[in-house]
Amino acid sequence: MSEQRIELGLTAAAPAGGGCGDACGCGHSAAASAPAAAAATDELRVEGMTCEHCVRAVTEELSSLAGVGVIDIALQAGGTSVVRITRTEDVTDDDLAAAIDEAGYSLAP
């Protein structure tokens, strides 16, 4: 019996971001095929937060800024809370401070 090969003319389609991703198993990744946006993580010390409502208010204001990715808040009720922000685009320190102020809190000196 001889081997028969049938060419179907199919091509693999890459996801919109480029690369095959992890599901394919070929070893390509979107990060290797497309330039990744530079991300920087900032740590802000915020005074005046006392509860989960405070956390939601700060998160909401920071989330409204274009270029803010992940927000992680370590609440220290009655003390200085730590707010970690991952920026995916240009967001200035002044933008971050204004968002904290708009939420009703202040940056620790």
Side-chain angles (χ1 to χ4, degrees), residues 3-22:
E3 185 176 307
Q4 183 179 11
R5 182 180 180 136
I6 300 171
E7 183 62 46
L8 297 177
L10 302 176
T11 58
C20 296
D22 296 331

Side-chain angles (χ1 to χ4, degrees), residues 2-63:
S2 66
E3 185 176 307
Q4 183 179 11
R5 182 180 180 136
I6 300 171
E7 183 62 46
L8 297 177
L10 302 176
T11 58
C20 296
D22 296 331
C24 170
C26 74
H28 274 114
S29 68
S33 300
T41 301
D42 296 296
E43 195 169 276
L44 306 174
R45 295 168 26 95
V46 178
E47 295 179 334
M49 298 172 65
T50 60
C51 64
E52 287 301 315
H53 177 267
C54 302
V55 170
R56 283 192 302 275
V58 169
T59 299
E60 185 177 301
E61 287 300 327
L62 290 170
S63 294

